[in-house]
Amino acid sequence: MTDTQKAKLMLVDDEVIITNQLEEFLTLMGYEIVAVASSGVEAIYMARLNRPDLVLMDVMMPGRDGHPGLDGITAARRIREEFNIPSIFITAYGGDQIISRAKDVEAFGFIVKPLQEQELRAAIEFALYRIRMERRLRESEEKYRFVVSTAAEAIITIDSKGNIAFCNPAVEKLFGYETEEIRGRPFSFIVPERLRLQFENEINRIVLTGESEIIGKTVESFGSRKDGTEFPMEYTLTTWEVREGIFFTIIARDITERKRIEQMKSDFVSLVSHQLKSPIAAVLGCIDNMLMGLTGDLNGRQVEYLEAMQEISERNYRIISDLLNVSRIERGILSVTIEHVQLFEVIEIAVQNHTRMAEDKGLEFVFDYPGDLITVHADRDKLIEALSNVVHNAVKFTEKGFIRIQAKKDKEYGIIEVEDSGRGIPEEALANLFQKEQIFQGAPSSQGGCGLGLYIAKQFVNLMDGDITVSSKLGEGSLFTFSVPLERSGN
Amino acid sequence: MDKIYDGTILIVEDENVFRMIYRGVLENAGFEVIEAENGRKGWEAIRTRKPDLVLLDLILPEMSGYEVLEKIRQDPETKEIPVIVFSVMGADENIQKALQLGANFFKIKGASSPSEILEQIDKILSRNQ
């Protein structure tokens, strides 16, 4: 029976007059009568054969040929149990005992004779409505159950006491427990002992305050198997509230393999970059010693050649460093050493490396410092590298004019501005300027580098609670602004 | 740098070319330079020659730079000898580990001119006097 099809009914009554009357009556009302039975036994047989949607069942039916037979309530129970077909009971008198027995069978309706058309129709329609709802619910529940039971992730529901209320079969694979085995036990059971208290506190905090940083986030942690072994696990915790209180759903997966690959990748990147950097560092060292005059006097052409070699090697060295930095940023293993840093000193070092390049292009470096020293809280080396990257770009993309570098204070921040009179940055590129992805959008640069400098600079400065912003006008130049927390008295 | 130094510096470094580069810089500044091409020989030279300063690479055959550093700091006879670690592995954790183990300075090879190391040596040696 779909919502539009005719509902199929079966009539059960030992009085033929009544069934005949009902059949005619109900057919007129638009129902399809698929079977008529006159005893409990026959009703079960006909239900099996014709599978009606609903049974109209007379409660009082005497046995035949002196046998007590099945009464309507017992027959209805069997039909409900075996074929999942519900019944509406029809009786001549609504005695208490009959009503309470009918309730046990979960009657879908109860009609007292003599039958009235309105009452009959209402009872049948209500029962059919309920059948449809139950069917829909069952279907959606089946779909849901299918999703949950076939999921590769362990899905665990926890009640507000921290006990496991439900878990799917994947739990067996992940943790080694049968689902029945851990239902009702505390969730902390499946995390290693050292993490249990922390986890229980977190759950309690959510129950009490409804707040937690981990809700909805994917968190890396560890799981504990039945045999006591540990494995790296990733989980997402969500909460939902019902009448009984807050419930939690945890979706967990084993990330052993991913962790292993990450480690391999990281070892590999570190090995390769070491192997690549080392020879370049050696070449740079040799060139440097020659330029320092340690190998004897050089003529002008020789110096020129060596400087060209130096520039190319430095560029290669920087590219490898950049790739290594990006890999570290992405693995989240970058740390900062915060100390008191003089902006003046940072600027001096960052600019030093670019003076020759600027001189070659005829660019002027303009400095603008206030009289007093500006001391910030920063990671000295990373701030130098970030500023150096920005200055490098400024020199690279400015053909004539100046690079102005200004240091000042603004509220709680030390500010460094790097302004150039270069070609400027198109508006559409500004939004993604500090993104790693921007390198795929711009035209390939003939001037070397892989375009990761600004991404790294911003990531570095963010790590020390600072920021870099940019404004630019095409054809007029760009302005990069660093802000880094000022040293505060007392820390 | 025009200043002329004296004193002995040990370079523990497996790559011949880096030994050559740093020997050049150090000898030019007036230092006597001794070399060791692996960690074990480096540690031997430190015990027997008691250099005024050690330039120590991290990745070395037979005994790593970290191990050599640990030994230097544990032995009462060598624990005061200044050590500058120099490596291409300039990651935060390498630097932190070396400094925790008692390195006086960490130089990242290739990131700046080798001759800049004289500035650090000058600082460290004048502090120790």
Side-chain angles (χ1 to χ4, degrees):
Chain A
M1 170 193 67
T2 64
D3 293 359
T4 49
Q5 270 172 342
K6 270 189 181 179
K8 294 185 221 159
L9 305 185
M10 176 166 85
L11 308 178
V12 187
D13 202 308
D14 57 338
E15 289 177 59
V16 180
I17 294 176
I18 291 186
T19 48
N20 281 350
Q21 216 176 39
L22 263 178
E23 187 170 3
E24 196 178 328
F25 206 35
L26 293 171
T27 310
L28 276 173
M29 281 184 191
Y31 301 111
E32 187 185 348
I33 311 301
V34 292
V36 178
S38 58
S39 74
V41 176
E42 194 186 355
I44 293 169
Y45 174 76
M46 298 293 266
R48 186 197 315 275
L49 217 62
N50 297 297
R51 303 285 163 143
D53 298 312
L54 179 66
V55 180
L56 294 182
M57 176 77 76
D58 184 21
V59 176
M60 297 303 286
M61 285 181 293
R64 268 185 192 168
D65 311 327
H67 294 291
L70 286 174
D71 70 16
I73 291 175
T74 310
R77 174 181 295 135
R78 294 263 294 270
I79 291 171
R80 174 71 161 160
E81 281 168 4
E82 275 181 48
F83 316 116
N84 197 23
I85 299 168
S87 298
I88 293 177
F89 291 117
I90 301 171
T91 177
Y93 34 81
D96 282 351
Q97 204 204 342
I98 288 174
I99 291 182
S100 82
R101 276 190 64 207
K103 265 189 190 158
D104 287 348
V105 193
E106 212 199 325
F108 270 44
F110 207 86
I111 310 170
V112 181
K113 287 177 193 171
L115 302 170
Q116 313 256 323
E117 185 186 343
Q118 290 295 340
E119 210 185 332
L120 192 59
R121 185 195 287 273
I124 292 172
E125 282 305 313
F126 181 76
L128 291 174
Y129 174 76
R130 199 174 145 188
I131 291 166
R132 283 188 201 107
M133 285 302 119
E134 276 191 358
R135 215 170 272 179
R136 271 190 217 162
L137 192 67
R138 199 169 50 239
E139 276 165 14
S140 89
E141 221 178 74
E142 266 164 16
K143 273 181 214 158
Y144 158 82
R145 207 181 299 278
F146 183 74
V147 169
V148 169
S149 66
T150 57
E153 284 85 3
I155 301 175
I156 301 161
T157 301
I158 304 170
D159 63 23
S160 50
K161 293 191 195 81
N163 294 326
I164 294 172
F166 166 85
C167 56
N168 71 341
V171 164
E172 289 171 30
K173 227 173 92 188
L174 220 64
F175 297 97
Y177 292 103
E178 304 278 327
T179 51
E180 294 306 325
E181 218 175 334
I182 51 169
R183 218 167 277 176
R185 300 181 99 148
F187 173 74
S188 48
F189 211 65
I190 56 171
V191 297
E193 205 146 351
R194 64 197 154 85
L195 299 172
R196 276 181 200 170
L197 194 66
Q198 187 194 340
F199 204 89
E200 282 161 11
N201 287 342
E202 196 65 33
I203 296 279
N204 285 337
R205 192 157 80 94
I206 300 172
V207 171
L208 290 174
T209 67
E211 279 169 23
S212 167
E213 292 76 36
I214 63 168
I215 295 176
K217 297 240 172 68
T218 301
V219 183
E220 281 186 11
S221 182
F222 292 92
S224 174
R225 295 193 192 92
K226 190 181 179 181
D227 62 10
T229 53
E230 256 184 47
F231 63 96
M233 166 177 91
E234 183 183 78
Y235 69 87
T236 313
L237 184 142
T238 48
T239 61
W240 36 284
E241 226 170 323
V242 288
R243 219 174 37 226
E244 291 90 349
I246 289 188
F247 275 73
F248 304 86
T249 298
I250 285 183
I251 299 184
R253 68 178 68 91
D254 185 335
I255 52 170
T256 307
E257 186 59 14
R258 194 177 83 198
K259 282 280 161 199
R260 197 181 63 84
I261 291 169
E262 272 176 16
Q263 186 57 46
M264 265 172 60
K265 193 178 142 195
S266 125
D267 292 347
F268 180 74
V269 167
S270 152
L271 178 78
V272 167
S273 58
H274 172 247
Q275 299 292 356
L276 287 172
K277 269 173 114 174
S278 198
I280 301 172
V283 170
L284 277 169
C286 290
I287 296 170
D288 208 87
N289 279 8
M290 290 176 85
L291 287 171
M292 297 282 291
L294 297 187
T295 55
D297 292 339
L298 301 169
N299 66 36
R301 287 295 297 280
Q302 286 168 334
V303 170
E304 216 176 290
Y305 271 56
L306 283 170
E307 281 179 351
M309 287 159 72
Q310 189 178 43
E311 199 192 312
I312 290 165
S313 304
E314 275 171 358
R315 194 193 296 165
N316 278 354
Y317 188 86
R318 210 166 39 237
I319 289 172
I320 297 165
S321 296
D322 281 358
L323 289 175
L324 197 56
N325 275 327
V326 168
S327 143
R328 303 176 73 75
I329 288 167
E330 289 184 347
R331 281 182 288 135
I333 54 170
L334 223 48
S335 62
V336 281
T337 314
I338 301 292
E339 51 187 342
H340 291 186
V341 179
Q342 302 291 341
L343 282 194
F344 175 78
E345 187 198 4
V346 168
I347 293 170
E348 200 179 53
I349 297 172
V351 168
Q352 204 175 56
N353 303 328
H354 300 97
T355 40
R356 208 182 62 218
M357 190 172 154
E359 271 168 25
D360 290 348
K361 295 177 90 169
L363 301 175
E364 189 191 358
F365 265 116
V366 185
F367 298 100
D368 194 353
Y369 301 119
D372 52 337
L373 286 175
I374 301 175
T375 313
V376 292
H377 252 139
D379 182 306
R380 187 175 173 277
D381 294 337
K382 290 199 171 62
L383 185 56
I384 290 172
E385 191 163 344
L387 182 62
S388 185
N389 286 356
V390 169
V391 172
H392 182 82
N393 276 9
V395 175
K396 192 159 98 177
F397 294 113
T398 304
E399 302 311 324
K400 60 175 195 294
F402 64 89
I403 316 281
R404 188 183 61 87
I405 299 180
Q406 183 178 21
K408 58 187 180 188
K409 285 184 189 175
D410 181 22
K411 290 171 198 150
E412 272 145 42
Y413 291 92
I415 307 290
I416 306 173
E417 287 182 355
V418 181
E419 190 184 357
D420 65 58
S421 58
R423 63 175 83 149
I425 303 155
E427 205 171 318
E428 62 272 19
L430 274 180
N432 296 321
L433 199 64
F434 295 105
Q435 308 290 315
K436 182 170 75 259
E437 290 70 23
Q438 59 83 23
I439 61 165
F440 300 115
Q441 290 156 8
S445 162
S446 60
Q447 277 144 311
C450 50
L452 292 166
L454 291 181
Y455 167 73
I456 293 166
K458 178 120 171 168
Q459 296 289 329
F460 276 8
V461 175
N462 285 351
L463 269 179
M464 40 188 117
D465 296 324
D467 203 7
I468 309 177
T469 55
V470 61
S471 63
S472 184
K473 221 165 182 181
L474 212 57
E476 290 181 22
S478 308
L479 171 66
F480 286 83
T481 308
F482 285 67
S483 48
V484 188
L486 280 175
E487 162 210 42
R488 273 156 291 173
S489 47
N491 52 6
Chain B
M1 228 169 263
D2 301 312
K3 193 169 162 184
I4 299 296
Y5 299 87
D6 59 358
T8 308
I9 293 182
L10 168 69
I11 303 176
V12 189
E13 161 70 69
D14 58 332
E15 286 245 22
N16 180 37
V17 60
F18 281 115
R19 292 204 302 274
M20 179 183 84
I21 291 165
Y22 283 88
R23 173 185 279 275
V25 168
L26 295 172
E27 279 183 346
N28 189 55
F31 290 106
E32 188 195 336
V33 176
I34 44 179
E35 296 179 8
E37 76 269 15
N38 65 45
R40 187 182 47 77
K41 285 186 180 169
W43 172 232
E44 255 171 44
I46 290 160
R47 273 188 313 177
T48 54
R49 301 288 299 272
K50 303 268 165 28
D52 296 296
L53 187 139
V54 180
L55 255 173
L56 181 65
D57 189 16
L58 284 182
I59 301 177
L60 291 167
E62 295 191 38
M63 194 192 286
S64 81
Y66 292 125
E67 284 173 80
V68 176
L69 185 53
E70 251 179 323
K71 283 188 181 295
I72 296 173
R73 290 295 173 250
Q74 276 164 8
D75 190 324
E77 282 193 40
T78 59
K79 70 178 191 327
E80 300 297 333
I81 298 176
V83 177
I84 293 180
V85 167
F86 69 147
S87 173
V88 285
M89 299 201 308
D92 297 328
E93 67 263 23
N94 304 127
I95 298 175
Q96 274 157 19
K97 189 174 173 188
L99 295 180
Q100 266 164 21
L101 288 176
N104 298 66
F105 186 74
F106 194 108
K107 177 171 171 64
I108 303 170
K109 279 180 203 162
S112 59
S113 160
S115 55
E116 275 176 28
I117 206 155
L118 290 174
E119 231 176 278
Q120 290 305 326
I121 293 175
D122 189 49
K123 266 191 209 168
I124 292 166
L125 291 183
S126 54
R127 208 186 298 148
N128 277 24
Q129 268 162 12

